[in-house]
Amino acid sequence: MAELKERLLPPKPASAINLRDSSFRPSASGRQPFQGVDVLGLKKRGQGLRSWIRVDVSGNSQIIEVDKFSMMRRCDLPARDLRLLDPLFVYPSTILGREKAIVVNLEQIRCIITADEVLLLNSLDSYVLQYVVELQRRLTAAGVNEFRALEVALEAACTFLDSQAAELEIEAYPLLDELTSKISTLNLERVRRLKSRLVALTRRVQKVRDEIEQLMDDDGDMAEMYLTEKKSRMEASFYGDQSVLGYRSNDIQSISAPVSPVSSPPDTRKLEKSLSIARSRHESMRSSDSTTDSVEELEMLLEAYFVVIDSTLNKLTSLKEYIDDTEDFINIQLDNVRNQLIQFELLLTTATFVVAIFGVVAGIFGMNFTIPFFDEPAAFKWVLIITGVCGIIIFCAFVWFFKYRRLMPL
């Protein structure tokens, strides 16, 4: 991997080397100094040049610098298809079958697959380098096939998404269990971030799944992706036309004297016409049979990775359901605590009302008037006893009413 990274890494400009050797010293404030500008690199960007990794039919790779319009002419692609491969923009996963190429945009893998080569945007991402290494290995072992390059791209994308889903699962389940045991602001914030990542990853996996399913449902799109067969038919038709033209030119040269149309034998023309019609029918039947076989081959390939990406999507769906169940459990716990607080507040309000009765009695007997009851020695005790009994009766009556109306548990 390191050797491939060094081989694919473009050479460093002289300005960067001189900067690193002489003037690259951190300032006292901790900031890095201005590192200069690569004028040659800016000129290349101004011309629209991009660095591509080209993998040929033998598995050999090289770095090429191609501008946008040259790439459009080389692969016979419109500008909107190349825009899908621009790393400066974020586009959803897409697989497009064109006349001479397959445009693949699957996560980090952004490439153009033709019948003779694979053109991949140059990047130092580990998944891109792994794709190049795996593609070289398979091309060296089994020869050229655009489906093999597409298979490696699908495998890399599905593996990348599945690994992210697995990492999310490893992080999610302990965090959710901790949240159920201890509800805190920190744990709730961590779960919120986790759910945001889950939604974003689910959207990406769903897009890859929908793209594969859309290709499987359309035989025409799958037939367009069989580039090797289309190239063979075009070459066969080209050489056939050349041979027919050569045959006719030889016939014309062999005739020394001009022949009038009236005296020319009509049987020869009828025979040539019959042979051409039979040859065209045979070629059309053979191309239709090969297209059916290629569609079946590509359909089996897409179906295999459809199962893989669908399994990843089910894994994320199960995780989302677990998060939703945890949220429901937390809401139930919070509702239970809220109900307990309301019940305590009812009891406290009732006790406050009972205590207020003593204040009313004290206010009545504290008025400025005289009655014979004040001269009794046991009057104060009887007032306290009667007031306390009345307060207890009132409190019990409130509690019974709350239980009767199911405001408190029985």
Side-chain angles (χ1 to χ4, degrees):
M1 183 66 69
E3 296 179 357
L4 178 64
K5 188 172 182 180
E6 293 178 358
R7 183 157 53 91
L8 297 179
L9 186 65
K12 298 179 181 178
S15 59
I17 298 176
N18 296 333
L19 181 63
R20 180 178 297 179
D21 295 338
S22 59
S23 60
F24 186 71
R25 298 185 181 90
S27 60
S29 60
R31 298 180 179 178
Q32 296 180 354
F34 180 67
Q35 298 184 0
V37 179
D38 184 9
V39 181
L40 296 177
L42 289 178
K43 187 179 294 185
K44 288 183 179 180
R45 296 188 189 97
Q47 295 175 353
L49 292 178
R50 288 192 179 276
S51 180
W52 297 79
I53 303 176
R54 178 183 177 273
V55 182
D56 59 11
V57 296
S58 302
N60 300 320
S61 63
Q62 62 177 345
I63 301 295
I64 59 176
E65 298 286 343
V66 184
D67 63 303
K68 180 179 179 181
F69 298 101
S70 299
M71 185 61 68
M72 291 168 56
R73 291 191 300 268
R74 180 171 184 164
C75 302
D76 195 12
L77 292 175
R80 62 178 179 272
D81 291 345
L82 288 181
R83 197 177 299 117
L84 295 174
L85 306 179
D86 196 340
L88 300 179
F89 300 97
V90 179
Y91 290 99
S93 298
T94 308
I95 303 175
L96 299 176
R98 296 302 186 221
E99 182 65 26
K100 296 182 180 180
I102 301 175
V103 181
V104 178
N105 178 16
L106 293 175
E107 295 299 322
Q108 286 87 353
I109 307 301
R110 301 186 179 191
C111 62
I112 301 174
I113 302 173
T114 65
D116 301 322
E117 60 186 2
V118 178
L119 299 170
L120 183 73
L121 277 176
N122 191 6
S123 175
L124 296 180
D125 189 88
S126 60
Y127 283 93
V128 176
L129 298 179
Q130 290 177 5
Y131 172 77
V132 175
V133 173
E134 183 65 20
L135 181 60
Q136 288 177 335
R137 186 184 67 82
R138 297 194 185 185
L139 289 178
T140 304
V144 63
N145 191 339
E146 70 273 7
F147 291 164
R148 191 166 294 108
L150 180 61
E151 179 183 3
V152 178
L154 288 171
E155 182 180 349
C158 294
T159 303
F160 174 72
L161 293 175
D162 188 71
S163 63
Q164 285 198 339
E167 292 177 359
L168 201 61
E169 274 189 329
I170 294 174
E171 182 181 356
Y173 286 112
L175 180 59
L176 294 174
D177 294 338
E178 182 181 358
L179 180 62
T180 54
S181 60
K182 181 182 179 182
I183 302 175
S184 63
T185 305
L186 179 60
N187 290 336
L188 289 174
E189 178 64 21
R190 292 169 64 187
V191 171
R192 185 191 66 81
R193 295 177 181 176
L194 178 68
K195 192 172 183 180
S196 299
R197 291 167 53 194
L198 175 63
V199 171
L201 182 59
T202 303
R203 190 182 299 114
R204 290 158 53 193
V205 173
Q206 183 69 45
K207 186 62 179 70
V208 175
R209 180 185 180 277
D210 293 343
E211 193 69 22
I212 297 177
E213 185 177 11
Q214 182 180 359
L215 287 175
M216 293 172 59
D217 293 339
D218 196 337
D219 292 343
D221 290 344
M222 288 191 291
E224 285 292 327
M225 293 185 179
Y226 205 79
L227 306 177
T228 306
E229 181 65 25
K230 290 194 295 184
K231 181 182 177 182
S232 301
R233 291 201 303 265
M234 292 177 62
E235 291 178 351
S237 63
F238 175 76
Y239 289 124
D241 295 339
Q242 291 291 333
S243 62
V244 170
L245 291 174
Y247 174 76
R248 291 180 178 178
S249 63
N250 292 331
D251 290 342
I252 293 174
Q253 292 176 1
S254 64
I255 299 175
S256 60
V259 179
S260 63
V262 178
S263 62
S264 60
D267 297 335
T268 306
R269 296 182 180 179
K270 291 181 180 180
L271 181 61
E272 290 180 358
K273 186 175 182 181
S274 301
L275 289 175
S276 63
I277 293 174
R279 184 171 59 251
S280 62
R281 288 180 179 177
H282 177 68
E283 290 179 355
S284 62
M285 292 176 61
R286 185 177 60 184
S287 62
S288 62
D289 295 337
S290 61
T291 301
T292 303
D293 296 338
S294 67
V295 167
E296 292 178 357
E297 179 184 356
L298 181 57
E299 187 176 6
M300 289 188 295
L301 173 65
L302 294 176
E303 186 176 359
Y305 287 98
F306 178 81
V307 173
V308 175
I309 200 67
D310 189 64
S311 175
T312 304
L313 183 61
N314 292 334
K315 189 185 302 183
L316 295 175
T317 304
S318 301
L319 181 58
K320 185 179 183 301
E321 292 177 355
Y322 191 81
I323 293 178
D324 294 338
D325 294 340
T326 304
E327 290 180 349
D328 294 339
F329 178 74
I330 291 174
N331 291 330
I332 292 173
Q333 283 186 329
L334 294 177
D335 292 338
N336 186 27
V337 173
R338 192 180 298 110
N339 292 334
Q340 291 178 357
L341 291 176
I342 293 174
Q343 294 171 10
F344 178 75
E345 185 178 1
L346 285 175
L347 293 177
L348 185 61
T349 304
T350 304
T352 304
F353 176 76
V354 171
V355 172
I357 296 176
F358 286 91
V360 173
V361 173
I364 292 175
F365 284 100
M367 293 182 181
N368 191 12
F369 64 93
T370 59
I371 57 176
F373 185 72
F374 288 162
D375 298 334
E376 295 291 333
F380 179 74
K381 180 175 65 175
W382 284 106
V383 169
L384 290 178
I385 292 174
I386 295 173
T387 305
V389 171
C390 293
I392 292 173
I393 293 173
I394 294 173
F395 182 81
C396 293
F398 271 107
V399 172
W400 176 84
F401 176 76
F402 294 151
K403 291 184 178 182
Y404 176 77
R405 298 300 300 268
R406 298 184 182 276
L407 300 177
M408 294 180 63
L410 297 176

